[in-house]
Every structure is written in structure tokens, then in C-alpha cells.
Amino acid sequence: MWFILSLTAILFWSGSDLFSKIGSKPDDKYSHWKMVMAVGTVMGIHAVIELCRGAEFQLSDILTYLPVSFLYILAMILGYIGLRYVVLSISTPICNSSGAVAALLCFFILKETMSGLQFFAVALVCMGIFLLSVFEKRQEDAERMQSGMVPDRKYTHSFIAIFFPIFYCIIDGLGTFADALVLDRYIGEESANIAYEFTFLLMAVFAFIYVVIVKKQKIRLSAEKPKVLAGVFETAGQFAYIYALGNNAIVAAPLISSYCIFSLVWARIILKEKLSWKQYVVIAIAAIGIVILGMEG
């Protein structure tokens, strides 16, 4: 069951990646806060729906799950900021190496186990993510040299270009590890998910106060459709993810982190871009790892 849930999370989170990138405008310095507003609102609506369906939840669950919620939301805000500075194909593979970070933490600290074949599968997924980011960077540099374009330094070599995805990776990895720990000992998946969604809703309220009331920015819903879609996909992915992690954290975490590869595929299909043969090989390597994880789970 955890494997099906993991694939569901991959599908929706890759879509969230795509729409988040479309909705992240480089010339809008409040874009990331508007994204928080959209995602938090959708999550809040879903949390209310779950409560109406009789889901188990207490207000104290918000405090119990708050350390995990804080890490996840902080990582996502950094990720949304980063999408204004770097292309999705570079940012996402770096961000989603967090699954490997979480798996190592689970292995060394929680003493969870993996078979030799599962270690091999995790290595394939991580190698696929790393090689994909390398090939994407080389391809982008080659295209820029061919066209004679000299990009703004902050989009390539400056620290700001890699600061956000790298810190996303570290913080999200810590969040995933903390998630596995809390779900295993202190709170159920259903209650944890609702607590996380209500915490995100609270962040959306703060973002609205800051952007609309304090900074006097106008929000046009017609212009924010990609952000709303990102919120819907993010919420659906989170719902599947929390249950997958509760069932098999050490393998589900690196498996779900491979959704960045599918994000690239959707970007190519929707934006009519093409993959190089090297990228196809890398995706195949990661796919082999995913199949092995599914068979061994």
C-alpha cells in the first residue's frame, strides 16, 4: 500500500512543482508569500473537509506536530523563493535530494533497516537525481553560449542561485526525519496531516496580512490560477505522502523524492521542450530504482 501512496504523492507533487514554477514570477517579490496564501487556503479547506468526515483530531495535535510543520513550511517557503531565481530543472533535483538525507537519518539514528537491494535502489534514485541536475546545468550553459546570452550573475554563479534549493534540501530532510519519528511515537497520520494543514492555513493568514494589509498589494485571482492549482496538487500529494511515510518511512522518503524527475517530464510535455538521450538514460535509471523499491516494499 505504501508503494501506491508513494506513486500518488509523486504524481501530484510533480504537478505542484510545475504550477509553482509557472506561478513564481521573477519580477514579483511577494510571489512566494502569495504561493503560501494559495497553498495554505487549499490545505485549510481540505482539513475542514476531513473534520466533517469524522477524522480524529485535537487542537493539541497542532502543537505536537508543530516542529515537523515548521520544518516543512520553512523548506517550502525557501523553495518558492528559489523558483524566482533558478530554473525548475536545476532547483528541483537539488531540493529533492532531501529524501536521501532523511533515509540516512532514519538508518543511523532510528536504526531502521534496509536490505542490500533496497540500498542499491536508493542509490539508483539518488544517482539519477544528481546526474539529472548535472546534465541540466551543462545543457543550459551550452544553450546560453550558443545564443551568446550573458545571464544575470545571480541566476548562475552567485550564492543566491544555490542557497535556496540547498537549504530546502537540508531542512526538508530534517523535516522528513522528524516526521518519521513523530508519526512512529506520538501522533497518527490522519491527525498529523490535519495539524500540518491548519498550521499552513495560519501561515496563509499571516501572509495575507503582510502582503495585502501591510504592503498594500492587490491580489487578482485571475492572475493567480497557477498558484491555486499548485495548492490543490500540493495538498493531494501531502495527503498521500503522510500515509506512505507512516507505513514505510525509510524507503518511501527517497522514493517520493524522485518526483523531481517526473516534474521535468511534465515540464517537457507541457512546455514542448525536449529531453536529451542522457536525460532519458537517467530517468530510466531512476525508474529501475523505483520498481525495485516497489517489489521489495
Side-chain angles (χ1 to χ4, degrees):
M1 187 62 184
W2 71 266
F3 185 62
I4 295 175
L5 289 168
S6 296
L7 291 181
T8 302
I10 287 172
L11 174 64
F12 282 110
W13 272 354
S14 61
S16 175
D17 248 8
L18 176 63
F19 288 114
S20 294
K21 177 58 181 177
I22 294 173
S24 297
K25 302 174 183 177
D27 57 345
D28 183 2
K29 63 180 180 180
Y30 302 107
S31 179
H32 55 288
W33 289 122
K34 293 176 183 177
M35 191 74 71
V36 170
M37 290 162 56
V39 175
T41 300
V42 175
M43 285 194 173
I45 293 172
H46 180 259
V48 172
I49 293 173
E50 287 298 298
L51 288 180
C52 292
R53 292 177 59 228
E56 293 185 8
F57 176 75
Q58 298 178 349
L59 287 176
S60 59
D61 292 332
I62 294 178
L63 292 177
T64 301
Y65 201 65
L66 187 59
V68 181
S69 297
F70 171 77
L71 289 169
Y72 279 150
I73 294 172
L74 176 60
M76 289 185 67
I77 293 173
L78 290 174
Y80 292 146
I81 297 173
L83 287 175
R84 291 176 51 214
Y85 295 103
V86 293
V87 294
L88 181 63
S89 55
I90 294 176
S91 174
T92 304
I94 297 174
C95 288
N96 290 282
S97 298
S98 60
V101 174
L104 292 175
L105 288 172
C106 287
F107 180 77
F108 288 110
I109 298 179
L110 297 184
K111 306 303 180 183
E112 296 189 16
T113 59
M114 285 191 293
S115 68
L117 192 56
Q118 286 174 327
F119 266 118
F120 175 68
V122 169
L124 287 180
V125 172
C126 293
M127 182 172 65
I129 292 171
F130 172 75
L131 288 177
L132 185 61
S133 63
V134 171
F135 292 153
E136 279 295 309
K137 185 66 173 67
R138 288 179 178 175
Q139 179 176 313
E140 184 188 358
D141 289 343
E143 289 174 353
R144 281 174 173 160
M145 287 183 66
Q146 252 185 350
S147 63
M149 182 177 66
V150 181
D152 189 323
R153 189 173 183 274
K154 73 179 180 180
Y155 288 89
T156 52
H157 304 298
S158 69
F159 181 65
I160 196 171
I162 60 172
F163 171 86
F164 295 108
I166 288 177
F167 273 78
Y168 175 102
C169 173
I170 296 171
I171 296 171
D172 192 67
L174 289 172
T176 303
F177 167 69
D179 210 356
L181 180 63
V182 172
L183 288 175
D184 185 51
R185 303 180 184 182
Y186 302 108
I187 191 172
E189 288 91 346
E190 188 176 57
S191 299
N193 191 54
I194 294 174
Y196 173 70
E197 290 181 331
F198 275 133
T199 304
F200 219 126
L201 175 62
L202 186 61
M203 279 300 302
V205 172
F206 288 151
F208 178 84
I209 293 173
Y210 174 70
V211 174
V212 178
I213 298 178
V214 177
K215 293 299 182 179
K216 311 295 183 184
Q217 298 295 306
K218 293 182 178 179
I219 303 294
R220 291 187 298 113
L221 292 179
S222 60
E224 307 300 344
K225 288 180 182 178
K227 293 182 176 67
V228 175
L229 286 172
V232 172
F233 276 70
E234 181 66 33
T235 302
Q238 175 65 25
F239 184 75
Y241 163 79
I242 198 77
Y243 286 99
L245 205 65
N247 277 276
N248 196 342
I250 194 170
V251 184
L255 172 58
I256 294 174
S257 73
S258 70
Y259 79 81
C260 64
I261 295 175
F262 292 85
S263 299
L264 179 64
V265 173
W266 302 142
R268 292 300 193 258
I269 293 174
I270 294 173
L271 301 179
K272 307 302 181 183
E273 298 176 353
K274 294 182 179 180
L275 292 171
S276 68
W277 68 268
K278 292 181 180 179
Q279 289 167 325
Y280 279 118
V281 170
V282 169
I283 290 175
I285 290 173
I288 291 171
I290 292 172
V291 171
I292 293 173
L293 288 176
M295 294 173 62
E296 286 290 295

